Structure formats: C-alpha cells, structure tokens
Amino acid sequence: MVLITDNGSDRPEKLSQYFSEKQLRVGLIHFDDPPKNPEKSSDEGVTHYYISKPVDGEVQACMDTLIQETKDISAFIHLSPISKDKGSELISLSESNSRILKTVFLIARHLGKPLSNSAKDGHSAFLTITNMDGQLGLDGYQSHDPISGGYAGLTKSLRLEWPAVFCRSIDVHPDIDTKTFVDIINSEMHDPDSSLAEVGYTSNGRYTLSAT
C-alpha cells in the first residue's frame, strides 16, 4: 500500500489515481474529522483514514487500524498544504500547519518497521513534499511560514534511522501543474541515486544542494 496525506488540493487525488492504475492499493490520510457516514473504500481502490488531532493516542489508533488492514506499506508520501500567504514580510506561523507537522512526526513513529520490512522485498520510500520556491527555500519563500523546514529535518533524521528505506524531502514550486507534479514524485521515489537528502523543482528544472 502507498500512503498519501490529503493537503486539500487536487494533487492527492491525482497521485492516488496514478498508483491505483499501477495496481497498487492506496491509503489516503485526512487531517480532519471523518464524515458522519464515511465510506472506507472508493471505487478507485482508495481507503480513507482520518486523524483530526495531533495527539499520540489518536494517531496510534489510526495507524494500528491501518497496519492491521494492510499486509505491507511500500511508501508514505506527505503532501504539505500549499500556502496562500504571499504578502506577509514577517515570519508567519500557521497553527494548522504546526498541527499537521506534529501529526506527521507521530505517524513516522509507526512506519519504521513496516517500511523496513517492505525494503527487504524490494523498495520502500518515505517522502515529504513542500511547496516553497522549488529551490528548497533558498530563492525566496512562497510564504513566510518556517514549518516547511521541519519536514526536511524529519526526513534527514529518518535517513539515518532507517538505512534500508529511501527517504527524501522534495520542494516543488507551487506553480508546477499537477500532471508534472505526479511525474516528479514518481521519478524521485525511484531515483537510483539515494545519496541525495533533498531536491527541488521549478519550471526551469531540478535543483540539488552541494557543499562548496
């Protein structure tokens, strides 16, 4: 199963469709309360899970259910919310984004074993996707919320803790269209060069960091 978080855009749906067409099961994690009469599975083969609060008990309950229902988890792809704050000149901390970041940290605690087990049979991945400037925040942020940096920090830490799992942080410029976005995620997830911890994408191409 491929786990994808819902960031409120059309990107989670398109990613889900892509993996479903590849005959892979998809679990879509929503950071919200479930609807009153939720349908666990859709015709597209997507199973929906809900985590409304960044508290350990709620995250553990959701992940316990998810892992029990799933024989294997091959990938986790977190899509951070696309910021709508373009005008502020000051640092702007979003309470909602902070809650989501904390929830992703708690989710990661439950993924080490299943992702490492999947890696023994082939390939597993943990990806975090941000939407700053496509250059890892080095060319002017789309917003001034520093929360995005937390995902890169988490992913770099997991690279050390889970050596068998492919872990990468990807910063995609918000203006890149959804089809290209899906192609980017698929390409990065299967990149044979596992030495890179983070990469960025703008309309001009792919960016990486190097020490000078």
Side-chain angles (χ1 to χ4, degrees):
M1 174 178 277
V2 177
L3 299 180
I4 302 171
T5 61
D6 181 13
N7 71 349
S9 71
D10 64 338
R11 292 179 173 182
E13 178 183 357
K14 297 301 181 182
L15 265 181
S16 298
Q17 290 176 356
Y18 173 84
F19 288 114
S20 294
E21 290 171 0
K22 299 294 182 182
Q23 305 304 311
L24 293 171
R25 292 170 297 158
V26 175
L28 190 59
I29 299 176
H30 305 271
F31 300 116
D32 201 356
D33 291 318
K36 293 183 178 179
N37 298 304
E39 295 184 3
K40 288 292 298 258
S41 299
S42 67
D43 294 335
E44 291 76 24
V46 178
T47 304
H48 298 268
Y49 299 92
Y50 297 85
I51 303 175
S52 60
K53 297 178 181 179
V55 294
D56 191 44
E58 183 164 339
V59 173
Q60 181 170 347
C62 176
M63 296 305 295
D64 285 348
T65 299
L66 190 156
I67 291 172
Q68 288 174 4
E69 295 178 350
T70 307
K71 292 184 179 180
D72 62 88
I73 299 173
S74 59
F76 173 81
I77 305 173
H78 170 64
L79 308 183
S80 62
I82 298 177
S83 175
K84 299 179 181 179
D85 176 20
K86 300 180 181 180
S88 174
E89 296 181 357
L90 301 175
I91 291 177
S92 175
L93 289 172
S94 166
E95 183 178 348
S96 174
N97 290 349
S98 297
R99 289 198 304 270
I100 292 173
L101 175 63
K102 182 178 180 180
T103 305
V104 173
F105 267 74
L106 293 173
I107 289 173
R109 293 173 56 185
H110 301 273
L111 292 177
K113 184 176 180 179
L115 287 178
S116 295
N117 287 339
S118 292
K120 296 177 183 178
D121 298 325
H123 182 74
S124 66
F126 183 98
L127 305 179
T128 55
I129 320 300
T130 56
N131 311 277
M132 293 183 287
D133 51 19
Q135 295 188 39
L136 310 170
L138 299 177
D139 191 40
Y141 286 82
Q142 175 74 3
S143 78
H144 297 272
D145 188 345
I147 294 298
S148 295
Y151 295 113
L154 171 63
T155 307
K156 290 176 182 177
S157 296
L158 295 180
R159 279 169 56 86
L160 301 176
E161 296 179 23
W162 306 341
V165 180
F166 181 90
C167 298
R168 180 165 293 174
S169 178
I170 307 169
D171 182 40
V172 182
H173 195 285
D175 292 341
I176 286 182
D177 65 89
T178 301
K179 181 181 182 304
T180 302
F181 175 85
V182 172
D183 292 340
I184 287 171
I185 302 310
N186 181 57
S187 176
E188 289 298 324
M189 187 164 64
H190 297 95
D191 183 9
D193 182 4
S194 61
S195 65
L196 297 173
E198 51 188 340
V199 300
Y201 279 86
T202 72
S203 58
N204 295 322
R206 186 176 188 251
Y207 290 82
T208 61
L209 300 178
S210 63
T212 58

